[in-house]
Amino acid sequence: MRRLKLSGERGMALLMAIGIMTVLAISGTTIAYYATSNSGHANRANAGQYASAGSEAALGQALSVIFNATNNPLNKYLFCQTGETYPCTRTTTLPGGGSIKWTPTLDELATPYPQWTITGVGAFKNPAQRSADVNRTITIKVDVRPKYTKILQNQVWNYVYIYGTGDPSGCDYSQSNNSGMGSPIYVAGNACFDNQGKITGGPVQIWGTLTFNNTQNKIGTSSQPLTTGVHIAGGCKLKPATSFHSPCDATDQVYANPAADTTPIMLDPPTPAWSTWYLNASPGPYYPCNVSQSGTPPVFDTDQGSPITPDSTKLNRSVSGTFNLTGASYTCKTENGELSYDAASKLLTVNGTVFIDGNARIDTGGVVTYTGMGTLFLSGSFVLKNTNLCAVASGSSCDWTLGSGHWQPSNCPAADPAKDCKFLNVVAGYLGGGGQADISTSDTSVEFLSAGYQGGILAAQRFDISTSSSTMGPIVSSRMTVGQSLTTYLFPQLTTVPEAMPDGSQPKFGTPQTPKNFAG
């Protein structure tokens, strides 16, 4: 019996041991399950956080491109590369199997301004499920305000400024016949006067010499000497004198109070950003009339290629013939500018920066008025003939009166400068002049014939003005020839000017606004 009892106890112990081990096994499995489950949830949560951070990083990368001051925030192809199709997605692979990507799209017709919508996606591998990604998507919107104006940086634009030197004739600026220079004038080289050419306004800044080839040539008069300053570094020569006299005075028919001196101010000639604006002008070679178009606007280029891969070497004066800016009515509007003409009202509209890889002219006759703040770039030449192109008209001509209530090109309220300012600046002659019936020489970038003009001019080479013409506004030219009856009027001091006006400042194409409508 004793042995039987012992055998029974051993069996019971075995059964108890097996039961305890089973319970422990179940408990261990449960603990392992919960531990694994909690770890999976933690890993997934971490992956979600990484994905969220990635999507935010994607937006940050996109915003850094749009807000980069050297980029054009109104270029919808800003994120595209060769061979891609808009809209273009950028992707960055991260260590550990994650990635971030963003897809920006530009709504060029959005109001009140063009608007970027940026969709950022962050993806990160879930360690618990290697085949699956945890994704997070967020979006944000950025308005871009077109930029038409800036504060003037180079004071050459408050002068008739001639910067070329070494002209074979010895005269970088030539003025003849019954012509009067009433604007401030700056000549980096030599100035020569013939017939009845006079300077009636100032200040006068001449770094070379001044030659009067006729006894009727003069600066100011004995009864009304110039009071704005006369500064001539190289001296004056009045016919029949054979040598230059310095400093110039009344014996040279230079009448100034205070007396003329030999210390002109130093101003550097502006260098137009030809390539930059060829690539970014709107309307221009890479920015067609995408907002609205009617009639027949100009052909801006013929061989520019794809806007995804803009190429500044295509600035080659490819457009043949000459576009008449004021012929039949037409409209060309983009998200960042406009070139339009209404023939019924004879109104030309230029806003922003326009680039034509060729020639242009205006010869409609009578008075044509313009509105807007804009710069017109021409790789070829510009002709204004038998027409008064005016910011403000008065009867059959421009309003040449200086002062309040008349042309005020820099009177630009901050609320909406494009509507309240009127200033047209023409920049011509990058690839030579000529190419038009009225221009006989290939080095003539701009020519005025029986014309009146309120605005600015930059002639990369020669500027010829003749046949009873009048101007009111700054002129910048390598060389300048003034013939017959010319009158230049004193113009308002410039402070606010078109954005593309060459003055050495960094070009800006638009102003991104504070990001908004964050979602995700």
Side-chain angles (χ1 to χ4, degrees):
M1 294 292 295
R2 179 73 175 169
R3 294 181 60 182
L4 293 171
K5 186 175 181 179
L6 289 172
S7 299
E9 289 176 350
R10 290 193 187 100
M12 183 64 69
L14 179 61
L15 291 173
M16 291 178 66
I18 293 172
I20 291 169
M21 291 177 65
T22 301
V23 170
L24 290 174
I26 293 171
S27 299
T29 302
T30 303
I31 292 170
Y33 169 78
Y34 282 113
T36 303
S37 177
N38 289 339
S39 175
H41 284 302
N43 287 334
R44 181 173 179 81
N46 288 338
Q49 291 176 356
Y50 295 149
S52 294
S55 63
E56 293 176 6
L59 290 188
Q61 291 187 5
L63 290 173
S64 69
V65 174
I66 292 172
F67 279 84
N68 187 329
T70 62
N71 290 333
N72 185 346
L74 289 165
N75 176 12
K76 74 176 184 178
Y77 302 106
L78 188 59
F79 296 87
C80 296
Q81 297 177 359
T82 302
E84 293 184 323
T85 301
Y86 175 84
C88 304
T89 299
R90 303 266 63 83
T91 302
T92 300
T93 301
L94 302 177
S99 67
I100 60 176
K101 62 181 178 180
W102 60 100
T103 304
T105 57
L106 180 64
D107 183 353
E108 299 162 301
L109 303 181
T111 57
Y113 305 117
Q115 185 179 82
W116 283 101
T117 297
I118 309 165
T119 302
V121 179
F124 201 83
K125 291 293 183 183
N126 182 358
Q129 300 179 29
R130 287 291 179 180
S131 62
D133 286 341
V134 178
N135 295 306
R136 294 292 185 270
T137 301
I138 56 178
T139 62
I140 202 168
K141 296 182 183 294
V142 179
D143 291 340
V144 181
R145 182 173 181 172
K147 195 170 188 306
Y148 295 137
T149 64
K150 66 182 177 183
I151 301 301
L152 181 66
Q153 300 298 311
N154 191 332
Q155 293 305 309
V156 300
W157 289 104
N158 280 305
Y159 285 88
V160 171
Y161 180 91
I162 298 91
Y163 60 89
T165 57
D167 188 292
S169 69
C171 302
D172 299 292
Y173 174 72
S174 299
Q175 184 176 323
S176 61
N177 296 323
N178 185 23
S179 57
M181 175 62 66
S183 303
I185 183 169
Y186 188 112
V187 183
N190 303 322
C192 303
F193 287 70
D194 290 283
N195 307 115
Q196 299 179 49
K198 302 176 180 67
I199 293 179
T200 60
V204 177
Q205 316 275 355
I206 300 176
W207 275 97
T209 60
L210 173 65
T211 300
F212 284 158
N213 292 315
N214 191 296
T215 55
Q216 295 187 64
N217 302 143
K218 61 186 66 177
I219 293 178
T221 65
S222 57
S223 61
Q224 290 185 314
L226 290 192
T227 59
T228 51
V230 176
H231 316 277
I232 304 173
C236 296
K237 182 172 66 176
L238 173 64
K239 187 179 181 178
T242 57
S243 61
F244 290 95
H245 169 237
S246 184
C248 304
D249 59 25
T251 63
D252 307 300
Q253 297 193 164
V254 174
Y255 303 99
N257 184 18
D261 59 42
T262 59
T263 56
I265 63 173
M266 180 64 72
L267 292 175
D268 295 323
T271 301
W274 289 99
S275 295
T276 296
W277 288 113
Y278 172 79
L279 298 176
N280 292 282
S282 179
Y286 294 105
Y287 292 84
C289 316
N290 59 326
V291 173
S292 66
Q293 176 177 336
S294 65
T296 307
V299 175
F300 299 105
D301 205 337
T302 60
D303 64 350
Q304 71 272 30
S306 170
I308 294 179
T309 54
D311 183 359
S312 62
T313 65
K314 298 297 184 178
L315 171 51
N316 54 12
R317 202 171 173 177
S318 65
V319 180
S320 62
T322 299
F323 182 74
N324 191 332
L325 293 165
T326 56
S329 295
Y330 62 89
T331 300
C332 177
K333 293 182 181 180
T334 69
E335 70 275 21
N336 198 23
E338 177 181 358
L339 176 65
S340 300
Y341 180 65
D342 178 40
S345 60
K346 299 184 74 171
L347 176 66
L348 178 69
T349 300
V350 185
N351 267 322
T353 307
V354 181
F355 202 116
I356 300 175
D357 194 17
N359 307 323
R361 67 187 291 119
I362 293 175
D363 58 4
T364 305
V367 175
V368 172
T369 57
Y370 71 81
T371 188
M373 288 290 282
T375 299
L376 171 63
F377 279 87
L378 302 168
S379 62
S381 57
F382 176 67
V383 168
L384 180 62
K385 181 179 181 181
N386 298 329
T387 305
N388 292 300
L389 180 58
C390 311
V392 180
S394 178
S396 60
S397 188
C398 300
D399 180 356
W400 306 117
T401 304
L402 181 68
S404 178
H406 303 279
W407 183 41
Q408 296 290 319
S410 288
N411 184 22
C412 300
D416 198 344
K419 291 183 179 179
D420 297 294
C421 298
K422 292 182 180 180
F423 192 93
L424 171 61
N425 193 45
V426 177
V427 181
Y430 175 67
L431 292 174
Q436 303 195 50
D438 301 302
I439 299 181
S440 58
T441 57
S442 61
D443 70 341
T444 299
S445 301
V446 179
E447 185 164 73
F448 284 5
L449 301 97
S450 297
Y453 180 63
Q454 284 178 322
I457 289 288
L458 187 147
Q461 298 188 48
R462 185 185 297 278
F463 183 14
D464 282 345
I465 308 177
S466 60
T467 320
S468 301
S469 294
S470 300
T471 66
M472 188 179 195
I475 297 170
V476 175
S477 180
S478 175
R479 287 174 288 165
M480 185 170 172
T481 303
V482 177
Q484 299 182 22
S485 178
L486 168 75
T487 302
T488 63
Y489 292 93
L490 187 64
F491 54 90
Q493 185 85 5
L494 298 179
T495 54
T496 301
V497 295
E499 170 59 35
M501 199 161 183
D503 68 352
S505 60
Q506 174 68 40
K508 295 181 180 179
F509 317 106
T511 305
Q513 306 298 294
T514 303
K516 62 182 183 180
N517 295 353
F518 182 89

